[in-house]
Amino acid sequence: MPELDLPQRQATDTLMLTGFWYRALPADHVHRNQLQKATLLEIPLVIGRDRQGQPFALRDACPHRGMPLNSGQFDGENLECPYHGWQFDVHNGQCQLIPSLTHDQTLKVDRIYAGSYPCEEQDHFIWVFIPDPGPPGAGFNEPGEAPDPAPQIEKFSPKYKLAYLQAEMPVSIDHGIIGLMDPAHGPFVHQAWWWRTQRSIHEKKKNFEPIPSGFRMSAHTPSSNSAPYRLLRLYADADSITTTIDFVLPNIRTETIRAGKYWFSSLTTVTPITRSQCRIDVVAAWNIFRWFPFGPDLLKFVFAKFVEQDRRTMERQAEGLKRNPHLMLIDDADRPAKWYFQLKAAHQEAKRTGTALKHPMTGPVTLKWRS
Ligand code: FES
Ligand SMILES: [Fe+2]
């Protein structure tokens, strides 16, 4: 594919990919015997935990007349619709009782299902699998199963700390994701005396390689002009510090920093809530900063600051996007964004034709930009 030095038009429609796990809610927001509302890909969900603490996710609409189930009675096992009292098993959505039926009526209650979604708790979050053509359980179908377990943060030692933070962004998942992988906004959006300034902008060269359904910024020694990495040097030789950043469909960015026996690992997702709204969830695990005073708080502070800067930027960007302006992607700073759109298209095409995903990258690529 010839690469011209011309900007490329960016498509405006936002596709939300089904057939993947998505983070629905922080695990500590969901309590035993209680219900919570959540929305994923414009699907209203009711999420809760049973008596044993097992999480579950149902479509927040009764299969009888569509009544939201989140205001129903929940006894830790079955959920009762507030309209006509039908009861559903929260784990598979199967109907257990229809109170209006008389003894001689033979309607097969157990053939009726409320929409139910595979649900897992992993690293501080409740994940929900959104299957392919909409809810499998709605009406008369038994719920489907997820092909793989929910994504996990990679950990390199048995002892570690874990923290999360989240921010809602009033933009589509596409803008959320390309904003996250965009290297060129750093000096302008993320300025702080303890991080870096516009004056520290310099040319960078990074190697990328294709990985299944995504791409990797190959292991490299981190940028010398950033404060957290300067901190890391307290623990290890500058040369032994490496960082790897992966992006994989539909929305997952993982970053791994290793410095000798110390490590820091994060899994960030951009979750489509609606077509024009997404949420960034960052979960980090680490075994560094253990002797550093206020280490975890400092880390959380740095992260929160970044995410808040991104959130405020996207809030203003949303204003500009309201009237559908033409947008463009340029080389090389927007190349990861191009790969993202190409991967999405390739994924759709592979699904349509039932063939393997044709990766847009044919091999390793070096990108250069100033940031
Ligand atoms: S709408 Fe739920 S039982 Fe009738
Ligand atoms: Fe950012």
Side-chain angles (χ1 to χ4, degrees):
M1 190 179 350
E3 284 284 356
L4 302 174
D5 284 341
L6 280 173
Q8 190 178 303
R9 285 269 178 246
Q10 184 194 316
T12 48
D13 57 324
T14 292
L15 195 76
M16 300 185 288
L17 297 180
T18 54
F20 289 104
W21 285 97
Y22 288 100
R23 274 175 174 151
L25 288 170
D28 55 7
H29 291 197
V30 187
H31 305 289
R32 242 167 240 245
N33 303 335
Q34 285 179 22
L35 304 171
Q36 285 286 337
K37 288 200 284 182
T39 307
L40 288 178
L41 287 73
E42 295 189 338
I43 300 168
L45 298 171
V46 55
I47 290 173
R49 285 185 195 278
D50 66 15
R51 222 172 269 151
Q52 277 79 44
Q54 275 302 318
F56 61 85
L58 295 172
R59 194 182 180 99
D60 196 10
C62 179
H64 182 210
R65 286 242 233 295
M67 187 72 176
L69 293 170
N70 72 76
S71 58
Q73 286 294 325
F74 176 45
D75 64 4
E77 198 175 332
N78 292 327
L79 175 51
E80 183 186 272
C81 177
Y83 202 169
H84 310 95
W86 292 17
Q87 287 185 17
F88 304 96
D89 178 318
V90 290
H91 286 295
N92 60 13
Q94 189 176 44
C95 189
Q96 306 295 308
L97 177 80
I98 296 185
S100 64
L101 289 178
T102 61
H103 282 299
D104 53 341
Q105 289 171 340
T106 55
L107 180 76
K108 293 221 166 30
V109 169
D110 57 359
R111 300 258 299 271
I112 296 171
Y113 285 88
S116 161
Y117 298 83
C119 183
E120 271 181 29
E121 184 166 354
Q122 203 62 265
D123 298 327
H124 259 328
F125 267 85
I126 307 286
W127 294 73
V128 173
F129 182 81
I130 302 296
D132 259 334
F140 303 101
N141 305 315
E142 289 179 44
E145 267 177 33
D148 315 296
Q152 269 194 61
I153 299 185
E154 207 179 347
K155 296 146 195 124
F156 304 92
S157 60
K159 273 195 167 170
Y160 55 85
K161 295 208 162 88
L162 206 66
Y164 80 86
L165 62 102
Q166 48 181 187
E168 296 217 356
M169 313 276 180
V171 293
S172 70
I173 179 179
D174 288 349
H175 280 295
I177 283 178
I178 68 175
L180 196 71
M181 59 177 59
D182 166 24
H185 75 288
F188 302 92
V189 172
H190 301 301
Q191 286 179 57
W193 62 266
W194 40 264
W195 177 251
R196 55 171 82 161
T197 63
Q198 261 183 46
R199 263 173 305 145
S200 72
I201 195 165
H202 64 271
E203 190 167 316
K204 286 180 193 147
K205 215 167 151 181
K206 298 275 156 74
N207 298 319
F208 290 81
E209 56 190 291
I211 56 174
S213 293
F215 51 87
R216 165 171 298 166
M217 189 193 281
S218 318
H220 61 282
T221 308
S223 172
S224 57
N225 60 356
S226 66
Y229 297 132
R230 272 187 249 145
L231 275 178
L232 265 170
R233 283 201 220 145
L234 300 173
Y235 296 99
D237 253 355
D239 296 341
S240 77
I241 304 173
T242 58
T243 165
T244 309
I245 300 174
D246 286 0
F247 173 80
V248 292
L249 286 180
N251 66 345
I252 293 177
R253 177 193 191 272
T254 54
E255 178 163 10
T256 311
I257 305 171
R258 305 201 64 175
K261 62 178 176 172
Y262 299 107
W263 57 271
F264 170 92
S265 196
S266 68
L267 195 155
T268 301
T269 49
V270 184
T271 302
I273 308 298
T274 64
R275 232 161 268 280
S276 57
Q277 192 190 1
C278 66
R279 194 189 60 235
I280 296 192
D281 297 307
V282 185
V283 181
W286 67 88
N287 76 339
I288 50 176
F289 302 113
R290 271 194 299 169
W291 302 288
F292 193 76
F294 318 113
D297 293 334
L298 179 80
L299 203 67
K300 209 164 167 170
F301 169 80
V302 171
F303 258 110
K305 197 106 182 161
F306 273 128
V307 172
E308 176 56 17
Q309 286 165 338
D310 282 327
R311 197 193 59 75
R312 273 204 309 257
T313 303
M314 288 184 193
E315 209 168 71
R316 280 180 285 154
Q317 183 191 13
E319 279 302 308
L321 291 173
K322 268 185 189 160
R323 275 156 291 276
N324 260 325
H326 284 300
L327 305 174
M328 60 180 80
L329 298 165
I330 64 155
D331 284 324
D332 282 351
D334 288 338
R335 189 83 70 88
K338 287 187 188 177
W339 290 332
Y340 164 66
F341 286 114
Q342 288 166 349
L343 276 166
K344 241 176 129 174
H347 171 81
Q348 285 302 98
E349 183 59 14
K351 249 168 63 173
R352 198 182 60 79
T353 55
T355 52
L357 184 142
K358 245 180 95 200
H359 205 291
M361 297 169 77
T362 49
V365 180
T366 302
L367 300 183
K368 289 197 299 187
W369 63 76
R370 285 168 43 83
S371 68

